[in-house]
Amino acid sequence: QVRLVESGGGSVQAGGSLRLSCAASAHTYSTYCMGWFRQAPGKEREGVAALHSDGKTRYTDSVKGRFTISKDSAKNTLYLELNSLKPEDTAMYYCGADMRWRALCSLVALDYNNWGQGTQVTVSS
């Protein structure tokens, strides 16, 4: 188990940028995939981006070219850079960790077994 704490959310206007951070309580060397998910009120938790321990990334189509996932292993921190934000990006953003080996990271929430408490992103038009 690893404890995850997200930060960096806020309120921005459309076209703006934010950087989300996810600090892990322990070294994530045994975590094969880490991902960012989001959940808007009344909707399912949606996979946004994932990063494999081998460096491969994966994005949902709606954020490709706008969001970038990265990590700083020395700081045990995962990041999500959000650019060109749109009102439809408004949601609670969660960081997740998958401790099971996978060749390709999943963007399905059920495949992740560790979660942070979330950080709110609100984009106004």
Side-chain angles (χ1 to χ4, degrees):
Q1 293 289 327
V2 58
R3 192 168 77 94
L4 304 170
V5 179
E6 301 95 333
S7 62
S11 296
V12 297
Q13 291 195 322
S17 299
L18 285 171
R19 188 175 81 154
L20 307 183
S21 299
C22 171
S25 61
H27 201 288
T28 55
Y29 65 89
S30 60
T31 300
Y32 293 102
C33 291
M34 293 193 74
W36 286 98
F37 292 75
R38 64 188 179 187
Q39 189 166 18
K43 293 192 175 181
E44 300 277 326
R45 190 167 294 192
E46 171 194 26
V48 174
L51 176 63
H52 199 282
S53 56
D54 65 6
K56 291 190 181 71
T57 58
R58 189 175 178 186
Y59 297 91
T60 193
D61 286 346
S62 63
V63 308
K64 285 180 181 175
R66 299 190 300 123
F67 293 6
T68 303
I69 189 171
S70 63
K71 70 177 179 181
D72 184 333
S73 297
K75 296 181 179 180
N76 294 336
T77 301
L78 182 75
Y79 300 101
L80 185 68
E81 193 81 29
L82 296 75
N83 295 310
S84 302
L85 281 161
K86 304 175 181 179
E88 51 263 43
D89 294 319
T90 295
M92 185 72 81
Y93 282 69
Y94 297 91
C95 170
D98 182 359
M99 311 295 282
R100 294 161 291 191
W101 183 87
R102 295 182 190 276
L104 179 67
C105 290
S106 168
L107 288 178
V108 176
L110 286 175
D111 290 333
Y112 287 73
N113 46 17
N114 289 270
W115 293 99
Q117 83 292 345
T119 186
Q120 177 69 37
V121 172
T122 302
V123 185
S124 57
S125 57

